[in-house]
Amino acid sequence: MVCIRAATINDLLAMQACNLLCLPENYQLKYYFYHVLSWPQLLHVAEDYNGHIVGYVLAKMEEDAAEPHGHITSLAVARTHRKLGLASKLMQSAHKAMAEVFGAHYVSLHVRVTNQAAYHLYRETLGYDVNDVEEKYYADGEDAYDMRKSFKDVKSKPAILPKGSSQQKPKQATARASEVPEPSVSQISNAEEPAAAAQDTKADSKSADTAEKTAVASGTSEGKGVQAKAKTSKSKKR
């Protein structure tokens, strides 16, 4: 029994070991860390009933591109667990996360032109098409197929384009004068509220000034009255 699950940071050493056993293209451990820290939803592993990692998919997002898309960095399945459909399930898990989580429009990958088994998996089973042939792509000088798969049939969230990228705005039809809707009562009242508030503020400020002057005047007259009373009391004492 083998299950497909999302990879965690604790799986990276086992994923690297599987890569070293299955593929000639190998990566340093920090490259796995870069993937799991940047796109944790895109890494998946195949785990057997003993808890051993027997396959993995390492994927990432090309978010700086004009059209956001995913890329399969590496896919491997142990020889003891091949012909079980694990590679297809790993790839499908990564595809789903790319489209639903990151809004990818398509996914790309590279495969050796001599790797007919992988080519058949990508083209016949998973629906990839050859986009281009990149000469001497691999370190040993072998060419690679640049393959892509569109996510048109997968429901994806609206992609968030990077800053500085241009996005074509939809054309808006010019409305005729007769078709322009009249403002609602709430819109009119909201538009008039600032002016009314300004008038109320002015009225309040004027009343405040008047009250202040009155208070000052009353305070002064009260002071004079107190002084007059004080003089009268003094004169009476004398």
Short mmCIF file of all heavy atoms in Angstrom, two decimals, residues 104-131:
data_model
loop_
_atom_site.label_atom_id
_atom_site.label_comp_id
_atom_site.label_asym_id
_atom_site.label_seq_id
_atom_site.Cartn_x
_atom_site.Cartn_y
_atom_site.Cartn_z
N ALA A 104 -1.95 29.00 -11.89
CA ALA A 104 -1.09 28.76 -13.05
C ALA A 104 -1.93 28.52 -14.30
O ALA A 104 -2.98 27.89 -14.25
CB ALA A 104 -0.19 27.55 -12.79
N HIS A 105 -1.44 29.04 -15.42
CA HIS A 105 -2.13 28.85 -16.70
C HIS A 105 -1.71 27.55 -17.38
O HIS A 105 -2.49 26.94 -18.11
CB HIS A 105 -1.85 30.02 -17.63
CG HIS A 105 -2.41 31.31 -17.12
ND1 HIS A 105 -2.28 32.51 -17.80
CD2 HIS A 105 -3.09 31.61 -15.99
CE1 HIS A 105 -2.88 33.47 -17.12
NE2 HIS A 105 -3.36 32.94 -16.01
N TYR A 106 -0.48 27.13 -17.14
CA TYR A 106 0.01 25.87 -17.71
C TYR A 106 1.22 25.41 -16.90
O TYR A 106 1.70 26.11 -15.99
CB TYR A 106 0.37 26.03 -19.19
CG TYR A 106 1.53 26.97 -19.46
CD1 TYR A 106 2.85 26.50 -19.53
CD2 TYR A 106 1.33 28.33 -19.66
CE1 TYR A 106 3.91 27.35 -19.78
CE2 TYR A 106 2.38 29.19 -19.92
CZ TYR A 106 3.67 28.70 -19.98
OH TYR A 106 4.72 29.55 -20.22
N VAL A 107 1.72 24.22 -17.22
CA VAL A 107 2.90 23.68 -16.56
C VAL A 107 3.88 23.23 -17.64
O VAL A 107 3.48 22.79 -18.72
CB VAL A 107 2.52 22.50 -15.64
CG1 VAL A 107 1.82 21.40 -16.43
CG2 VAL A 107 3.75 21.95 -14.92
N SER A 108 5.15 23.36 -17.33
CA SER A 108 6.19 22.98 -18.29
C SER A 108 7.17 22.02 -17.63
O SER A 108 7.25 21.94 -16.39
CB SER A 108 6.94 24.22 -18.80
OG SER A 108 7.62 24.86 -17.73
N LEU A 109 7.95 21.32 -18.46
CA LEU A 109 9.01 20.44 -17.96
C LEU A 109 9.99 20.15 -19.08
O LEU A 109 9.72 20.43 -20.25
CB LEU A 109 8.42 19.13 -17.40
CG LEU A 109 7.58 18.24 -18.32
CD1 LEU A 109 8.43 17.36 -19.22
CD2 LEU A 109 6.64 17.35 -17.50
N HIS A 110 11.13 19.57 -18.71
CA HIS A 110 12.12 19.12 -19.69
C HIS A 110 12.36 17.63 -19.50
O HIS A 110 12.41 17.14 -18.36
CB HIS A 110 13.44 19.89 -19.51
CG HIS A 110 13.35 21.34 -19.85
ND1 HIS A 110 13.12 22.31 -18.90
CD2 HIS A 110 13.44 21.98 -21.05
CE1 HIS A 110 13.08 23.50 -19.49
NE2 HIS A 110 13.27 23.33 -20.78
N VAL A 111 12.53 16.93 -20.60
CA VAL A 111 12.79 15.49 -20.55
C VAL A 111 13.79 15.16 -21.66
O VAL A 111 13.77 15.77 -22.74
CB VAL A 111 11.49 14.68 -20.72
CG1 VAL A 111 10.81 14.97 -22.05
CG2 VAL A 111 11.74 13.19 -20.54
N ARG A 112 14.65 14.21 -21.38
CA ARG A 112 15.65 13.80 -22.37
C ARG A 112 14.95 13.21 -23.60
O ARG A 112 13.96 12.48 -23.48
CB ARG A 112 16.60 12.76 -21.77
CG ARG A 112 17.53 13.32 -20.70
CD ARG A 112 18.35 12.21 -20.06
NE ARG A 112 19.27 12.74 -19.06
CZ ARG A 112 20.53 13.11 -19.31
NH1 ARG A 112 21.02 12.97 -20.55
NH2 ARG A 112 21.30 13.58 -18.37
N VAL A 113 15.49 13.50 -24.75
CA VAL A 113 14.88 12.99 -25.99
C VAL A 113 15.01 11.46 -26.08
O VAL A 113 14.24 10.81 -26.81
CB VAL A 113 15.52 13.65 -27.22
CG1 VAL A 113 15.21 15.15 -27.25
CG2 VAL A 113 17.03 13.43 -27.24
N THR A 114 15.95 10.88 -25.35
CA THR A 114 16.13 9.43 -25.38
C THR A 114 15.31 8.70 -24.31
O THR A 114 15.25 7.47 -24.31
CB THR A 114 17.62 9.08 -25.18
OG1 THR A 114 18.07 9.63 -23.93
CG2 THR A 114 18.46 9.64 -26.31
N ASN A 115 14.67 9.46 -23.42
CA ASN A 115 13.88 8.85 -22.34
C ASN A 115 12.46 8.60 -22.84
O ASN A 115 11.53 9.36 -22.57
CB ASN A 115 13.88 9.76 -21.11
CG ASN A 115 13.33 9.06 -19.87
OD1 ASN A 115 12.69 8.01 -19.96
ND2 ASN A 115 13.57 9.67 -18.71
N GLN A 116 12.29 7.52 -23.57
CA GLN A 116 11.00 7.23 -24.19
C GLN A 116 9.92 6.88 -23.18
O GLN A 116 8.74 7.19 -23.39
CB GLN A 116 11.17 6.09 -25.21
CG GLN A 116 12.01 6.46 -26.41
CD GLN A 116 11.41 7.63 -27.19
OE1 GLN A 116 10.20 7.67 -27.45
NE2 GLN A 116 12.24 8.61 -27.53
N ALA A 117 10.28 6.26 -22.09
CA ALA A 117 9.28 5.90 -21.07
C ALA A 117 8.68 7.16 -20.46
O ALA A 117 7.46 7.28 -20.31
CB ALA A 117 9.92 5.04 -19.99
N ALA A 118 9.54 8.13 -20.11
CA ALA A 118 9.05 9.38 -19.53
C ALA A 118 8.28 10.18 -20.58
O ALA A 118 7.23 10.77 -20.27
CB ALA A 118 10.22 10.20 -18.99
N TYR A 119 8.77 10.17 -21.80
CA TYR A 119 8.07 10.89 -22.88
C TYR A 119 6.66 10.34 -23.08
O TYR A 119 5.70 11.10 -23.25
CB TYR A 119 8.88 10.80 -24.17
CG TYR A 119 8.21 11.44 -25.36
CD1 TYR A 119 8.29 12.81 -25.56
CD2 TYR A 119 7.49 10.66 -26.28
CE1 TYR A 119 7.68 13.40 -26.66
CE2 TYR A 119 6.87 11.25 -27.36
CZ TYR A 119 6.96 12.62 -27.54
OH TYR A 119 6.34 13.21 -28.63
N HIS A 120 6.51 9.03 -23.05
CA HIS A 120 5.20 8.40 -23.23
C HIS A 120 4.28 8.77 -22.06
O HIS A 120 3.08 9.02 -22.24
CB HIS A 120 5.37 6.88 -23.31
CG HIS A 120 4.08 6.16 -23.56
ND1 HIS A 120 3.24 5.75 -22.54
CD2 HIS A 120 3.47 5.77 -24.72
CE1 HIS A 120 2.19 5.16 -23.04
NE2 HIS A 120 2.29 5.14 -24.36
N LEU A 121 4.82 8.79 -20.85
CA LEU A 121 4.02 9.16 -19.68
C LEU A 121 3.49 10.59 -19.81
O LEU A 121 2.29 10.83 -19.62
CB LEU A 121 4.87 9.04 -18.41
CG LEU A 121 4.27 9.66 -17.14
CD1 LEU A 121 3.04 8.87 -16.68
CD2 LEU A 121 5.32 9.74 -16.03
N TYR A 122 4.38 11.49 -20.17
CA TYR A 122 3.98 12.90 -20.24
C TYR A 122 3.01 13.17 -21.40
O TYR A 122 2.02 13.88 -21.22
CB TYR A 122 5.22 13.80 -20.40
CG TYR A 122 6.18 13.71 -19.25
CD1 TYR A 122 7.56 13.70 -19.46
CD2 TYR A 122 5.73 13.61 -17.93
CE1 TYR A 122 8.45 13.61 -18.40
CE2 TYR A 122 6.61 13.51 -16.86
CZ TYR A 122 7.97 13.52 -17.11
OH TYR A 122 8.85 13.43 -16.06
N ARG A 123 3.27 12.58 -22.53
CA ARG A 123 2.45 12.89 -23.71
C ARG A 123 1.16 12.08 -23.76
O ARG A 123 0.08 12.65 -23.96
CB ARG A 123 3.27 12.65 -24.98
CG ARG A 123 2.51 13.05 -26.25
CD ARG A 123 3.39 12.98 -27.48
NE ARG A 123 2.65 13.31 -28.67
CZ ARG A 123 2.43 14.55 -29.11
NH1 ARG A 123 2.90 15.58 -28.43
NH2 ARG A 123 1.75 14.77 -30.22
N GLU A 124 1.26 10.78 -23.57
CA GLU A 124 0.10 9.92 -23.76
C GLU A 124 -0.81 9.86 -22.52
O GLU A 124 -2.04 9.83 -22.64
CB GLU A 124 0.55 8.50 -24.12
CG GLU A 124 1.41 8.42 -25.37
CD GLU A 124 0.69 8.92 -26.62
OE1 GLU A 124 -0.56 8.82 -26.66
OE2 GLU A 124 1.37 9.41 -27.54
N THR A 125 -0.21 9.86 -21.34
CA THR A 125 -0.99 9.71 -20.11
C THR A 125 -1.42 11.05 -19.53
O THR A 125 -2.58 11.21 -19.11
CB THR A 125 -0.20 8.92 -19.06
OG1 THR A 125 0.22 7.67 -19.61
CG2 THR A 125 -1.04 8.68 -17.81
N LEU A 126 -0.51 12.00 -19.47
CA LEU A 126 -0.77 13.27 -18.80
C LEU A 126 -1.16 14.41 -19.74
O LEU A 126 -1.56 15.47 -19.28
CB LEU A 126 0.46 13.68 -17.98
CG LEU A 126 0.84 12.71 -16.85
CD1 LEU A 126 2.14 13.13 -16.19
CD2 LEU A 126 -0.28 12.63 -15.81
N GLY A 127 -1.03 14.20 -21.04
CA GLY A 127 -1.52 15.19 -22.00
C GLY A 127 -0.59 16.36 -22.28
O GLY A 127 -1.04 17.45 -22.65
N TYR A 128 0.70 16.17 -22.14
CA TYR A 128 1.68 17.20 -22.48
C TYR A 128 1.90 17.23 -24.00
O TYR A 128 1.72 16.23 -24.69
CB TYR A 128 3.02 16.94 -21.80
CG TYR A 128 3.08 17.38 -20.34
CD1 TYR A 128 2.44 16.65 -19.35
CD2 TYR A 128 3.80 18.51 -19.96
CE1 TYR A 128 2.51 17.03 -18.02
CE2 TYR A 128 3.88 18.90 -18.64
CZ TYR A 128 3.23 18.16 -17.67
OH TYR A 128 3.30 18.55 -16.35
N ASP A 129 2.31 18.39 -24.49
CA ASP A 129 2.69 18.55 -25.89
C ASP A 129 4.11 19.10 -25.97
O ASP A 129 4.55 19.84 -25.08
CB ASP A 129 1.74 19.51 -26.61
CG ASP A 129 0.34 18.93 -26.75
OD1 ASP A 129 0.22 17.73 -27.06
OD2 ASP A 129 -0.63 19.69 -26.53
N VAL A 130 4.81 18.76 -27.05
CA VAL A 130 6.17 19.26 -27.24
C VAL A 130 6.10 20.71 -27.71
O VAL A 130 5.53 21.00 -28.76
CB VAL A 130 6.95 18.39 -28.25
CG1 VAL A 130 8.33 18.98 -28.50
CG2 VAL A 130 7.08 16.96 -27.73
N ASN A 131 6.68 21.60 -26.95
CA ASN A 131 6.71 23.02 -27.32
C ASN A 131 7.95 23.38 -28.11
O ASN A 131 7.90 24.20 -29.02
CB ASN A 131 6.63 23.88 -26.05
CG ASN A 131 6.66 25.36 -26.35
OD1 ASN A 131 5.75 25.89 -26.98
ND2 ASN A 131 7.71 26.05 -25.90
#
